[in-house]
Amino acid sequence: MGNILKAIVAFVPSHECQKHLLEDLEEMPVDKTVDLSGRQLRRLPLHICSFRQLVKLYLSDNHLNHLPPELEQLQNLQILALDFNNFKVLPLVVCTLKQLCILYLGNNKLCSLPLELRLLQNLKTLWIESNCLQCLPEVVCELSLLKTLHAGSNALRTLPAELRCLQELRTIWLSGNLLSEFPPVLLDMPFLEVIDVDCNSIRFFPSLAHLPGLKLVIYDHNPCRNAPKVAKGVHRVGRWSEETPEPRKRSGAVIEITLDEKPSPPPATKPEPE
């Protein structure tokens, strides 16, 4: 009954109804965090934009499809969660929040990202999973401090060559896309630590043994004929992952590559800024 009531009052713009939804949140919390997730909101209450020292704003699991221009006042915001909403385009006001470190945009209806996203040069984590992206927006390649990119469950068929410019990138999640081959650009990114290409259409994996930073590769649920070769100590999750790869010859010597026990994939929890 409580959720039904919230859904009804979410349509009503009156101050009293919004006050009910926000449970009397009229002053900025001491921890500088506002969590309005799952409140059936269809618009962001404007008085939240007056909390100018706000650091974390969670708006997940609502019915939002736009944001007010007054959001620009939150210039101290570091974490913004807009996942599980109804955004078809990213509101440009988000791109004015230049202190953002973590941005959650997953489970919306985004087909592209605006060029203005390049203004978020402090962004370290970007989640754009479960949208309608048919290609990875090249503007992502301009986020020079990006460390984690979650682009799973879209319709990606390839990755732009410009992605290699992201030399801080350590983790890339690409599961549930339409990749028919292992993205060649990833072979030129020796600093990557985690590569997830689970649930794609990759039939052959090139060797990944030359990637010195690699710690984990997830390649399960692909129609592949081989497992990717990896260096010693790198975990693999997928078919043949527990088998020892064929010995590689180097300078006339045969070097055996052994693997540690197969790990479980890392949980998809929302991280805090470093």
Side-chain angles (χ1 to χ4, degrees), residues 184-196:
V185 66
L186 300 184
L187 300 176
D188 296 329
M189 301 178 71
F191 31 79
L192 283 174
E193 297 179 357
V194 177
I195 299 175
D196 178 12

Side-chain angles (χ1 to χ4, degrees), residues 178-206:
L178 302 176
L179 301 173
S180 59
E181 65 173 348
F182 187 83
V185 66
L186 300 184
L187 300 176
D188 296 329
M189 301 178 71
F191 31 79
L192 283 174
E193 297 179 357
V194 177
I195 299 175
D196 178 12
V197 289
D198 186 38
C199 295
N200 278 278
S201 301
I202 301 172
R203 295 185 175 276
F204 175 79
F205 281 94

Side-chain angles (χ1 to χ4, degrees), residues 208-212 214 229-235 248 257-259:
L208 305 180
H210 67 289
L211 299 179
L214 194 61
K229 292 183 179 181
V230 294
K232 183 178 180 179
V234 178
H235 295 297
R248 292 185 294 118
I257 300 178
T258 58
L259 297 172

Side-chain angles (χ1 to χ4, degrees), residues 79-211:
I79 300 178
L80 178 60
L82 299 174
D83 46 329
F84 292 94
N85 276 286
N86 295 322
F87 291 102
K88 293 183 179 180
V89 296
L90 179 64
L92 292 182
V93 66
V94 172
C95 301
T96 69
L97 305 174
K98 296 183 180 180
Q99 296 304 313
L100 279 182
C101 296
I102 300 178
L103 179 58
Y104 298 106
L105 300 175
N107 290 273
N108 279 284
K109 302 173 183 178
L110 300 173
C111 295
S112 63
L113 293 174
L115 293 177
E116 288 80 359
L117 190 73
R118 62 166 64 104
L119 299 176
L120 302 182
Q121 284 300 306
N122 285 308
L123 206 62
K124 295 181 178 179
T125 298
L126 177 61
W127 288 44
I128 51 176
E129 81 285 1
S130 300
N131 276 285
C132 304
L133 300 171
Q134 296 185 9
C135 59
L136 184 68
E138 291 189 8
V139 67
V140 172
C141 304
E142 299 184 43
L143 303 173
S144 59
L145 295 184
L146 201 64
K147 289 187 175 182
T148 299
L149 175 60
H150 193 336
S153 300
N154 280 285
L156 306 181
R157 296 181 181 274
T158 186
L159 297 179
E162 292 79 4
L163 194 68
R164 64 169 58 91
C165 297
L166 297 183
Q167 297 190 16
E168 296 298 321
L169 194 65
R170 297 294 181 266
T171 302
I172 185 166
W173 306 91
L174 299 166
S175 61
N177 278 288
L178 302 176
L179 301 173
S180 59
E181 65 173 348
F182 187 83
V185 66
L186 300 184
L187 300 176
D188 296 329
M189 301 178 71
F191 31 79
L192 283 174
E193 297 179 357
V194 177
I195 299 175
D196 178 12
V197 289
D198 186 38
C199 295
N200 278 278
S201 301
I202 301 172
R203 295 185 175 276
F204 175 79
F205 281 94
S207 174
L208 305 180
H210 67 289
L211 299 179

